[in-house]
Amino acid sequence: MMIYSIGHLLADACYFHYMLDLHKCKYLYILHHTVFIFSWYLSLMYPEDLDAYCILLFSEISIAPLNLKSYYKRRNNKNMELLCGFITYILFFRYRIINYTYYNYIFYHKGYNLVVLFFTPLLGLQYYWFVLMTKKIIDKSNIIPNLLH
């Protein structure tokens, strides 16, 4: 599982780096992948918590509907794009925001200082992306103007 995950992350990081048409956030994705790869090394330092790393790896489940959202956006299928965006948002919140926050807290209290040192930026990236997704939802749905009227 670890070798597959690291291979996937390396391939993704190379793809992000060499794709010239990728948006301005490509370096955040590369940073995210680099920190995630290093976290596999850290998991070997604390094998008693390998189950926690596997649970955190499950956070990648939010990528499938995100990729489908992009697919449907290119196909101009607004209903499926919206549905996949909603599913991505819910999965991202559940498996990245809640799980990452919880396990960062656990690792901190167990005294895994090196894990926390590398996990905290990864957690910060998750919050950043979640704020961007939330902002996009608010902007697209005109929630604020509708509340003011």
Side-chain angles (χ1 to χ4, degrees):
M1 176 78 132
M2 179 190 307
I3 292 171
Y4 170 77
S5 177
I6 291 172
H8 167 73
L9 292 167
L10 284 172
D12 252 10
C14 288
Y15 175 77
F16 290 139
H17 181 69
Y18 292 108
M19 290 302 295
L20 300 176
D21 63 338
L22 201 62
H23 53 81
K24 63 184 177 183
C25 294
K26 77 177 181 179
Y27 295 111
L28 285 176
Y29 287 107
I30 292 170
L31 174 64
H32 163 78
H33 282 61
T34 303
V35 171
F36 205 97
I37 289 169
F38 191 73
S39 73
W40 273 115
Y41 170 73
L42 293 175
S43 72
L44 297 175
M45 293 175 58
Y46 304 101
E48 65 275 7
D49 285 311
L50 193 55
D51 60 331
Y53 296 103
C54 291
I55 290 169
L56 290 168
L57 185 59
F58 196 62
S59 67
E60 294 297 311
I61 195 169
S62 64
I63 298 301
L66 178 63
N67 290 340
L68 286 171
K69 178 185 178 298
S70 297
Y71 171 80
Y72 287 119
K73 183 176 186 173
R74 286 190 308 272
R75 299 290 183 261
N76 204 24
N77 187 333
K78 297 290 184 195
N79 290 334
M80 289 303 293
E81 178 189 352
L82 183 63
L83 176 63
C84 291
F86 178 74
I87 293 169
T88 299
Y89 189 78
I90 298 301
L91 291 174
F92 195 95
F93 180 74
R94 171 61 181 93
Y95 291 104
R96 291 185 183 239
I97 300 302
I98 292 175
N99 278 6
Y100 278 44
T101 302
Y102 171 75
Y103 280 105
N104 198 45
Y105 174 83
I106 296 296
F107 295 150
Y108 174 78
H109 284 285
K110 284 187 172 189
Y112 295 176
N113 296 330
L114 192 56
V115 173
V116 172
L117 177 69
F118 285 93
F119 197 74
T120 301
L122 191 61
L123 176 61
L125 285 171
Q126 305 310 312
Y127 284 140
Y128 174 73
W129 288 327
F130 191 72
V131 166
L132 290 180
M133 289 189 317
T134 303
K135 185 179 181 302
K136 188 179 262 188
I137 288 170
I138 290 170
D139 290 346
K140 283 190 172 189
S141 64
N142 294 321
I143 290 173
I144 303 299
N146 289 337
L147 289 175
L148 296 176
H149 292 290

